[in-house]
């Protein structure tokens, strides 16, 4: 058995947290490859080291004095080193960083140092080998992650060592320049390492005990999700459930490696299992509810639209011409509605409307703003009758007007459009009917 374990920033924010992580790793000899994030927040108003690095580098880039800001970052690491009673120093590393900041090595380089330095400390603390991610995670010249080349070199490198620490979040181009993933990207590194190591499980340790059925800011103490499929998770994270970076699914998914989301502060909790497929029923018909506010619907009407071949293409071309992606396109006999993100659309709306007129010659175009989308996701819906009926009667009882319905043919989710103001009520009423009333 081989486990790859990734620890998020809050799990590594202080020496005390490092000790918890050390205990977790030592409790299971199979936890062989460790991916650390940079130190995160120690308390709610604290600043993540990654954000400190961005700010410090911006000072350097503007030619301002950045020494004090860099010293504050060094102090964060020193506090961890002292708290762990380690005897080494990062002084020389900070000299190199200062020099590179002066030479404007780039924002990506700057941000990556958070994970790099934390990785060095972690390796020393555990007595594991340190592998610099710049050597094994490769980006293409166009900035895309080079998954296949990385997999090859990483596989070879891991075969040489039984236990190692590989910092998350960054890699390098062929010429050695550092490039980071988008924010939260250490999750992706963990997944890449799990794939290359052909791990049995990818454990992702964070500060919550896995995914919850609904957003705790809307539902008080929501139930946790025990098992969720990759596809269900895609739907939920797209709609705003953010525990894991969206792109972290892809590398492990190719190998069928399950991801186990765990809580560093409650290591006994089982957390959530993210799997390719399962015959385990979720506890409720639905697996999760998520949603987002801030959508607009553009309603296009034209008599006999249904028999005009190419009408849909022409309408969508108008959006494409202005670089706007659409979310959902429900249609009727004489109408077609395009859902878009309001903030992307607002500045270009009149241009898009005139392009629709120019290209598709509709009878009318009507825009409705301030809408929210709610996604009810669950593999159990396929085999359960009446799910849609229960959703809509719950919404009707809560006085929520449904403006759009979209059920994917996979029967994995039902998407409902409501007014922004009804967003929370909609989620509460769906949660009540499927979860609360079953407890
Ligand atoms: N430290 C980086 C961030 O704050 C990456 C990560 O934590 O995954 O976004």
């Amino acid at each position: 058995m081989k486990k790859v374990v990734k620890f998020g920033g809050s799990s590594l924010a202080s020496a005390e947290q490092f000790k918890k992580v050390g205990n977790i790793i030592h409790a299971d000899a199979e936890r062989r490859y460790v991916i650390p994030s940079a130190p995160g927040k120690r308390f709610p108003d604290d600043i993540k080291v990654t954000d400190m690095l961005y700010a410090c580098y911006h000072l350097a880039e503007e030619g301002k004095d950045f020494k004090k800001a860099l010293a504050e970052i060094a102090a964060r690491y020193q506090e961890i080193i002292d708290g762990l009673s380690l005897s080494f120093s990062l002084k020389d590393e900070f000299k190199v960083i200062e020099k590179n900041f002066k030479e404007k090595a780039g924002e990506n380089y700057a941000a990556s140092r958070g994970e790099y330095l934390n990785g060095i400390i972690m390796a020393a603390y555990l007595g594991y080998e340190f592998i610099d991610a710049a050597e094994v995670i490769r980006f293409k010249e166009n900035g895309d992650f080079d998954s296949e080349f990385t997999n090859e070199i990483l596989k070879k490198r891991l075969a040489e060592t039984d236990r190692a620490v590989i910092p998350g979040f960054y890699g390098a181009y062929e010429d050695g320049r550092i490039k980071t993933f988008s924010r939260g990207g250490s999750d992706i590194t963990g997944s890449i390492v799990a794939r290359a190591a052909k791990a049995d499980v990818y454990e992702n340790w964070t500060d919550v005990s896995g995914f919850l059925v609904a957003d705790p800011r809307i539902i008080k103490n929501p139930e946790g999700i025990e098992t969720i499929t990759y596809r269900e998770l895609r739907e939920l994270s797209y709609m705003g459930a953010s525990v894991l970076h969206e792109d972290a699914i892809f590398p492990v998914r190719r190998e069928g490696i399950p991801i186990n989301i765990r809580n560093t502060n409650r290591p006994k909790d089982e957390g959530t299992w993210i799997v390719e497929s399962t015959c385990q029923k979720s506890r409720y018909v639905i697996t999760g509810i998520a949603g987002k506010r801030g959508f607009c619907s553009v309603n296009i009407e034209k008599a006999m639209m249904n028999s005009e071949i190419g009408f849909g293409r022409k309408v969508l071309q108008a959006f494409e011409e202005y670089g706007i992606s659409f979310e959902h396109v429900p249609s009727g006999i004489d109408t077609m509605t395009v859902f878009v993100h309001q903030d992307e659309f607002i500045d270009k709306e009149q241009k898009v409307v005139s392009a629709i007129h120019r290209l598709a010659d509709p009878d009318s175009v009507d825009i409705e703003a301030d809408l929210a989308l709610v996604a009810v996701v669950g593999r159990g819906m396929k085999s359960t009758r009446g799910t849609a009926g229960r959703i809509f009667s719950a919404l009707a009882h809560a006085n929520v007007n449904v403006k759009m319905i979209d059920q994917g043919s996979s029967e994995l989710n039902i998407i409902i459009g409501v007014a922004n103001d009804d967003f929370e009520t909609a989620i509460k009423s769906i949660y009540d009917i499927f979860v609360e009333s079953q407890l």
Side-chain angles (χ1 to χ4, degrees), residues 12-15 18 39 76-84 118 121:
L12 298 168
S14 63
F18 257 77
R76 287 285 310 260
Y77 287 104
Q78 196 57 46
E79 189 187 298
I80 296 173
I81 293 173
D82 293 343
L84 296 176
N118 230 18
I121 299 179

Side-chain angles (χ1 to χ4, degrees), residues 285-299:
V285 175
I286 60 164
T287 304
I289 314 164
K292 276 194 216 164
R293 287 193 172 91
F295 292 92
C296 244
S297 71
V298 184
N299 191 26

Side-chain angles (χ1 to χ4, degrees), residues 213-214 219 286 288-290 374-377 387 390-392 394-395 398 414 416 418 423-437:
V213 173
I219 306 289
I286 60 164
I289 314 164
V374 174
V376 186
V377 176
T387 311
R390 288 171 72 192
I391 293 175
F392 296 116
L395 291 171
I414 295 178
I416 301 140
V418 299
F423 180 63
E424 295 199 353
T425 315
I427 290 187
K428 276 189 195 130
S429 61
I430 298 169
Y431 184 85
D432 277 353
I433 198 83
F434 287 102
V435 182
E436 199 68 36
S437 61

Side-chain angles (χ1 to χ4, degrees), residues 242-434:
S242 58
V243 172
L244 187 74
H245 193 296
E246 262 192 274
D247 295 342
I249 292 174
F250 300 109
V252 283
R253 187 175 181 168
R254 304 172 72 123
E255 300 286 334
I257 300 168
I259 306 174
N260 187 197
I261 307 284
R262 301 286 292 266
N263 188 348
T264 301
N265 305 318
R266 295 173 58 103
K268 292 216 165 77
D269 289 359
E270 260 287 298
T272 298
W273 283 90
I274 308 166
V275 300
E276 182 169 20
S277 184
T278 175
C279 57
Q280 283 198 32
K281 294 231 163 64
S282 34
R283 256 182 296 167
Y284 314 101
V285 175
I286 60 164
T287 304
I289 314 164
K292 276 194 216 164
R293 287 193 172 91
F295 292 92
C296 244
S297 71
V298 184
N299 191 26
I300 300 117
E301 238 184 284
K302 186 173 189 181
M304 307 295 286
M305 177 204 102
N306 64 325
S307 55
E308 184 181 327
I309 289 170
F311 184 80
R313 177 182 50 76
K314 290 175 202 157
V315 168
L316 293 179
Q317 190 182 334
F319 289 87
E320 189 181 341
E321 278 184 8
Y322 290 96
I324 291 171
S325 64
F326 64 87
E327 298 298 310
H328 293 276
V329 188
S331 63
I333 304 175
D334 291 334
T335 64
M336 169 172 169
T337 306
V338 183
F339 272 78
V340 289
H341 284 278
Q342 195 155 325
D343 55 356
E344 263 179 40
F345 182 65
I346 202 151
D347 291 337
K348 299 176 183 160
E349 63 168 23
Q350 294 313 317
K351 289 183 185 140
V352 175
V353 170
S354 60
I356 296 172
H357 278 282
R358 168 166 48 83
L359 294 161
D361 194 26
D363 297 336
S364 69
V365 178
D366 183 41
I367 299 174
E368 185 171 356
D370 302 324
L371 299 175
L373 293 176
V374 174
V376 186
V377 176
R379 57 188 184 279
M381 295 201 289
K382 212 172 182 158
S383 51
T384 316
R385 271 161 222 224
T387 311
R390 288 171 72 192
I391 293 175
F392 296 116
S393 76
L395 291 171
H397 274 108
N399 254 330
V400 172
N401 181 23
V402 175
K403 295 181 175 283
M404 192 272 293
I405 305 165
D406 195 353
Q407 175 176 26
S409 50
S410 60
E411 288 184 66
L412 194 68
N413 64 355
I414 295 178
I415 312 253
I416 301 140
V418 299
N420 271 348
D421 288 345
D422 285 335
F423 180 63
E424 295 199 353
T425 315
I427 290 187
K428 276 189 195 130
S429 61
I430 298 169
Y431 184 85
D432 277 353
I433 198 83
F434 287 102

Side-chain angles (χ1 to χ4, degrees), residues 210-238:
F211 282 86
L212 300 169
V213 173
D215 188 335
R217 286 165 300 187
I218 300 174
I219 306 289
K220 227 167 127 200
N221 286 328
E223 291 290 299
I225 300 176
E226 286 167 3
T227 310
I228 182 168
T229 64
Y230 296 135
R231 289 168 66 209
E232 287 176 308
L233 181 64
R234 272 287 286 159
E235 303 284 347
L236 286 177
S237 20
Y238 178 70

Side-chain angles (χ1 to χ4, degrees), residues 115-162:
E115 272 65 14
Y116 171 79
L117 297 169
N118 230 18
I120 292 179
I121 299 179
M122 176 65 90
Y125 180 54
L126 295 173
Y128 281 20
E129 185 178 343
F130 174 77
I131 301 178
D132 187 352
E135 289 166 27
V136 287
I137 306 281
R138 181 65 65 80
F139 286 89
K140 296 180 194 163
E141 222 20 71
N142 67 3
D144 289 348
F145 167 58
D146 192 341
S147 62
E148 296 320 297
F149 190 72
T150 296
N151 197 43
E152 247 172 67
I153 48 176
L154 187 55
K155 232 181 353 198
K156 278 199 199 115
R157 187 69 181 78
L158 295 181
E160 293 166 12
T161 175
D162 235 21

Side-chain angles (χ1 to χ4, degrees), residues 6 37-38 48 50 115 169 183-187:
K6 180 256 167 183
S37 281
K48 288 178 169 192
T50 309
E115 272 65 14
F169 190 39
R183 295 299 302 266
S186 300
D187 285 342

Side-chain angles (χ1 to χ4, degrees), residues 192-204:
I192 293 165
V193 174
R195 177 188 173 200
K198 288 206 184 292
D200 297 275
V201 50
Y202 167 28
E203 289 180 348
N204 189 297

